[in-house]
Every structure is written in C-alpha cells, then in structure tokens.
Amino acid sequence: MMSTAIFLGAGAAKVEGAPLQNELVKMCARSFQQLGRCPNVAGYLKDFFGIHCLQDDLEKTTFPTFEEVIGLIDLAELRGETLRWPLVEGFNADNSIHTLRLVRDELIFMMSWFIDYYSQEEASGSYECLLSTLNSRTLLDRNRVIFLTSNYDLLLEKALSKVYASKKINYGVDFARVEGEKLWRPTLNAGLKFYKIHGSLDWLYCTTCNNILLKYVPISSSLDYTNSLICTDCLSIREPVIVPPTYYKSMSNVFLGSVWNNAENALRRVTRVVFCGYSLPDADMHIKYLMKRAQTNRASPVFSVVVFNHYSGKDERVAEEEEVRYKRFFGDKVVDYTRKSFEEFVADPLPYLT
Ligand SMILES: [Zn+2]
C-alpha cells in the first residue's frame, strides 16, 4: 500500500528556530528582572557570562545563545564533570551539579512557555486545514498518512481535537498514565501515527518509576511549576521529555528510544516523505541517519522526497544551497524540491501524496 510520511519542521510551526534561539536567554533575564522568576538562570548568567540581570540594561546586553547556555550544562553532565561557580563562596561540587540541573529545568520551562505562548498566537489553522482534507478522503482512517516532527508544540493535537475528536493518536510510546480529560486518548494499536522524536511539551518522565505521563497541557501551563512535576506515586520530581536543540542531543531516554524505533519502522513502509518547513540542517545528523536507514532498508524500492520550505522573500542562494543539501543526501532523482511554502502544501496536499 502506498503511504506518505509528513515531516513537520520548525518552519511548519513558525514558533521555533531563530526567534527562540536568540530571545530565550534574554527572556529568562527579563523574567528575573521583572518577576523574580528563573533565579538560577540569573545566577548562572552572572557568574559565567558577567550579566547582572538586575542592574544591566538588558536591551543593550549581548546574551549567549540558548545552545551555548544549555550546551555547557549538557557537556558537563555528559562528561561527568561539574562547572565551578566563580563568585560563590563555599560552593561545592554537589551544589554545582544540583544547581546546573535547576538552571536546565528553568531554561526548559521557559522554552515550553515560549513555544506554547507563540503557538496559541499562531492559530493552528494550517493543521486544521490539512487534517480536514486528509480526513475527508479517509486517509487518516486508512493510515495512508503518518506524521513525524522534531517540534514539541501541541498544534497538531489541537487541530485533531477540532477536526476529528474521536481519532486516537499513536505516539509510538506506552504512557503509564494519562492526566486530564480529552476526547482522544493515546493508543498503541490503531490511531493516527504521530512520532515526536524530540519529545513533547506535555510529556513527563519519572526516573524513579521509569514511566511516562501524558498531561495534555504543556508543562509550563501550571503556575506552580515544581509541584506540578512531582510524581504522585513516588514523590520524585519528574523530568520533561524535551530534547533541547543542542548539538549534544541525548537520545538515551528509553521512551524517546521507543518513539524512534516505531518511527523508523513506520518510515520503512512509506513510499514518500514530504518535508514541511525543514531545511535539513547539517547539525541534524541524527535525523539524516533515521531517514537514510528508512530509505535503504526496505522491501519496496519506491522512496521519494518532496520539500515545502519556501516563503516570500527567501534568499535565492539559501534556497539553492538547501536544494543541494536535499539532493546530495537523498539523491538527485529522488528529490522534488518545490519552491512552495507549507501553506501552499496545506491548501492542496492531495497531488503530493502517494
Ligand atoms: Zn515516580
């Protein structure tokens, strides 16, 4: 059976990418200056980057990128090392590890808040439109279309509740618990296949119980953030299942491993992948790895790629380089690099499906 995978990149959500990378650390600083939130990030910025959130003019300050801030913490943890807090007396290594994790939690909380805030602004209209069309041709019921994304937002879930409330979602992961009320429930059998390979704003992982919870609402939606993370079974602090966009992506989480394996198995059976709002950046080697495995290890030789990543005013040189990236990786004959946008695909998706 012919089927198509639709890959939703940052450009299909318009809420991640450049603005997030550039603004997030500044937002944390401003949030501390005005509301006293993110105290650990503020301390980290002071001690490691010389930024005084209470005294400095934040508009004139040059901030480190999100990648730099979280990358230092990720690498220290990966290497089993700690960072010395230069200005704090009596600070020992245990404190340092603990505080670094708090900094990381605050950054991820702010990222969740930011993505959720902007994805509410950004109406999920495109997703609704796409799902309506697919649903009207019963393509969702027959599993002729599956979805993959590197985004964490809940845009597709929101659209699905409007278009097709009874449809279940198969995330490729077994949730031990589901909190809250929604018409749809996750499933591992039938259902719309939707693989969120970097996690989701509403997934929480308990490292003590070794299970995963689906909250239906973003982790940042509770004002009492820390309390909302506590596992009701063992009282440990649950961790968000969000892999930040760093170069040191840890795919070691067992639940993300399950998503990954299910995604790979599903991709091996599709005859086409439609990339939306995704530029196939050099840094995303793990996504290329997933795609190449699916392209080469398959029963059916048919595998084609269609790309929708255009927008008005896009630099021609950027588009050309992108086309070359896609063609050199998947093969000249396989790739149809349209000069069309995600919105254009959504308006008329059927000709591009197999
Ligand atoms: Zn627990």
Side-chain angles (χ1 to χ4, degrees):
M1 189 181 70
M2 308 280 267
S3 62
T4 303
I6 298 177
F7 184 97
L8 303 162
K14 285 197 215 149
V15 292
E16 287 191 281
L20 171 65
Q21 300 288 314
N22 300 337
E23 292 295 319
L24 193 76
V25 179
K26 189 199 262 189
M27 276 182 44
C28 290
R30 211 184 284 137
S31 175
F32 179 72
Q33 192 183 56
Q34 291 166 3
L35 302 163
R37 294 204 182 118
C38 306
N40 293 294
V41 174
Y44 179 79
L45 286 175
K46 178 158 80 62
D47 292 339
F48 287 86
F49 296 94
I51 296 169
H52 292 254
C53 297
L54 291 179
Q55 299 161 19
D56 295 354
D57 181 348
L58 300 182
E59 290 312 312
K60 288 184 183 151
T61 302
T62 308
F63 284 91
T65 65
F66 180 78
E67 299 243 323
E68 286 165 344
V69 168
I70 214 159
L72 288 174
I73 298 172
D74 279 355
L75 264 183
E77 195 140 354
L78 191 74
R79 293 167 59 90
E81 296 165 352
T82 58
L83 299 172
R84 181 174 176 179
W85 293 65
L87 304 175
V88 184
E89 274 176 46
F91 214 79
N92 61 37
D94 285 346
N95 278 339
S96 177
I97 294 169
H98 180 66
T99 311
L100 286 173
R101 287 198 183 128
L102 291 176
V103 172
R104 199 172 195 289
D105 281 352
E106 285 179 2
L107 284 164
I108 288 180
F109 171 80
M110 286 303 281
M111 184 168 77
S112 165
W113 184 87
F114 186 87
I115 291 170
D116 186 50
Y117 180 81
Y118 282 95
S119 54
Q120 282 174 4
E121 296 278 292
E122 192 75 42
S124 50
S126 297
Y127 290 74
E128 266 178 68
C129 177
L130 178 61
L131 289 176
S132 297
T133 310
L134 301 179
N135 191 34
S136 69
R137 300 297 182 100
T138 68
L139 296 173
L140 298 181
D141 280 327
R142 290 184 286 136
N143 262 316
R144 291 278 305 278
V145 175
I146 69 167
F147 286 90
L148 272 94
T149 188
S150 51
N151 303 335
Y152 328 105
D153 64 67
L154 306 178
L155 289 169
L156 191 82
E157 285 89 341
K158 278 179 195 162
L160 194 74
S161 335
K162 286 186 188 164
V163 170
Y164 193 10
S166 61
K167 187 70 185 170
K168 291 176 175 161
I169 296 184
N170 179 348
Y171 288 111
V173 63
D174 194 6
F175 291 97
R177 194 185 285 260
V178 177
E179 229 175 63
E181 278 301 315
K182 277 279 182 332
L183 283 169
W184 61 269
R185 311 293 280 181
T187 175
L188 273 179
N189 300 312
L192 176 71
K193 289 180 177 163
F194 182 30
Y195 302 115
K196 303 179 93 168
I197 54 178
H198 288 173
S200 181
L201 295 184
D202 60 347
W203 297 357
L204 281 174
Y205 169 57
C206 178
T207 50
T208 308
C209 301
N210 201 13
N211 61 22
I212 186 168
L213 159 84
L214 175 70
K215 269 180 91 76
Y216 284 127
V217 291
I219 50 168
S220 55
S221 60
S222 170
L223 285 174
D224 190 359
Y225 176 57
T226 315
N227 265 332
S228 75
L229 293 182
I230 292 175
C231 174
T232 44
D233 293 326
C234 73
L235 306 182
S236 306
I237 306 281
R238 292 197 191 98
E239 288 177 6
V241 187
I242 296 175
V243 182
T246 66
Y247 295 114
Y248 321 110
K249 286 190 174 86
S250 154
M251 300 305 284
S252 59
N253 182 296
V254 61
F255 296 99
L256 283 182
S258 166
V259 173
W260 186 269
N261 292 341
N262 280 296
E264 184 180 328
N265 279 297
L267 278 173
R268 278 211 293 266
R269 288 189 290 274
V270 304
T271 37
R272 175 169 292 170
V273 182
V274 177
F275 286 96
C276 300
Y278 186 65
S279 63
L280 198 70
D282 289 332
D284 284 0
M285 196 56 219
H286 62 296
I287 291 179
K288 293 184 191 174
Y289 180 68
L290 174 69
M291 291 294 169
K292 190 50 94 178
R293 286 175 68 89
Q295 183 183 11
T296 52
N297 179 14
R298 54 176 37 245
S300 145
V302 185
F303 181 90
S304 58
V305 166
V306 183
V307 184
F308 291 88
N309 195 29
H310 216 67
Y311 47 87
S312 65
K314 184 166 184 169
D315 192 313
E316 180 52 31
R317 207 168 42 89
V318 172
E320 276 169 16
E321 282 170 6
E322 199 171 280
E323 182 169 5
V324 168
R325 272 207 299 280
Y326 270 101
K327 289 190 166 171
R328 79 169 183 230
F329 191 74
F330 290 108
D332 276 334
K333 298 187 189 90
V334 171
V335 175
D336 174 11
Y337 184 85
T338 72
R339 299 287 171 112
K340 290 182 177 162
S341 64
F342 174 53
E343 287 76 12
E344 285 171 277
F345 169 64
V346 162
D348 189 20
L350 298 175
Y352 302 99
L353 305 179
T354 52

